[in-house]
Amino acid sequence: MAKNPFDQFKCTSHKVNREILTIEELAILTDKEFNISRLNEIRDIFLFCCFTGYAFVDVEKLTKADVSTGIDGEKWIFTKRHKTGTVSNVPLLPQAQIILEKYASNEYCQYSGKLLPVKSNQKMNAYLKEVADLCDIRKNLTMHIARHTFATTVTLSNGVPIETVSKMLGHTKLATTQIYAQVLENKVSDDMKKLRSVFSIKKLENTGS
């Protein structure tokens, strides 16, 4: 060809607003007890992903053989991401361990060897809308939000280095994880607005005295 037909073509990107749960919303979900057993199961699986960072396709395939003792003597999950095939080994936080213990004797988990009784992605997301309504959480709960919440609220917000978070998420590039750090900038801005308000009140009190 005499001329490259894509010579003038330029790739464009659009900034995506990644919704996450706050620590308060995680507490609401954890404490809520539902009258319908399937909603309790969906809530537990969602929270497990919030505290491990696994996507739906990854948590769905987890088996008891994936859980082992790590170099620190604590329980870890050793697996690879379905999407990229990269290693995604995650130490289990207490909240995640409690959920696994809860379903250790579950009938489905017993005969299938799976860690959790995961439904289809479509059903999971549909039931999560019910969970959100009953918990009065005004966010569109999806399995993607669980992964985003792990990266931000659970890890980065608590001082876990971005390189460590990237490793646990199974990202092939650090730049992918840095998207979550950008989300945190919004949180920093919101927190600083509250802080400014506190100091403005103190300044008024000092002036009045």
Side-chain angles (χ1 to χ4, degrees), residues 17-140:
N17 182 26
R18 295 178 183 272
E19 206 161 33
I20 60 174
L21 295 186
T22 64
I23 197 70
E24 292 79 14
E25 288 167 334
L26 285 175
I28 290 171
L29 280 172
T30 301
D31 296 337
K32 182 71 174 179
E33 282 300 323
F34 302 99
N35 295 325
I36 305 173
S37 60
R38 65 173 168 81
L39 293 184
N40 282 312
E41 288 183 1
I42 298 302
R43 182 272 317 274
D44 290 341
I45 294 166
F46 177 81
L47 284 174
F48 181 81
C49 291
C50 285
F51 289 106
T52 59
Y54 287 119
F56 169 80
V57 290
D58 297 313
V59 74
E60 191 274 336
K61 68 182 180 67
L62 290 178
T63 67
K64 295 177 181 179
D66 294 321
V67 180
S68 187
T69 303
I71 59 173
D72 54 1
E74 302 290 343
K75 292 295 182 183
W76 287 49
I77 290 180
F78 294 90
T79 187
K80 291 183 178 180
R81 283 207 68 197
H82 176 82
K83 183 178 179 180
T84 60
T86 55
V87 172
S88 181
N89 299 336
V90 179
L92 288 174
L93 292 170
Q95 292 86 345
Q97 290 195 58
I98 289 171
I99 292 170
L100 290 186
E101 290 167 5
K102 181 177 179 180
Y103 290 93
S105 58
N106 176 272
E107 184 178 349
Y108 170 80
C109 295
Q110 286 275 313
Y111 78 76
S112 69
K114 297 290 183 67
L115 282 181
L116 295 167
V118 182
K119 308 287 191 297
S120 70
N121 195 26
Q122 185 178 10
K123 285 185 177 179
M124 291 285 292
N125 287 329
Y127 295 155
L128 279 173
K129 295 185 189 308
E130 291 184 57
V131 170
D133 289 340
L134 292 171
C135 290
D136 200 28
I137 293 176
R138 304 303 180 190
K139 292 177 180 176
N140 181 28

Side-chain angles (χ1 to χ4, degrees), residues 169-197:
L169 290 175
H171 287 163
T172 55
K173 297 179 181 178
L174 188 60
T176 307
T177 318
Q178 287 172 336
I179 293 172
Y180 296 109
Q182 292 172 5
V183 173
L184 287 180
E185 288 177 4
N186 294 329
K187 183 179 184 304
V188 169
S189 176
D190 292 338
D191 290 344
M192 289 304 290
K193 285 179 183 177
K194 295 175 185 176
L195 189 60
R196 287 191 192 97
S197 176

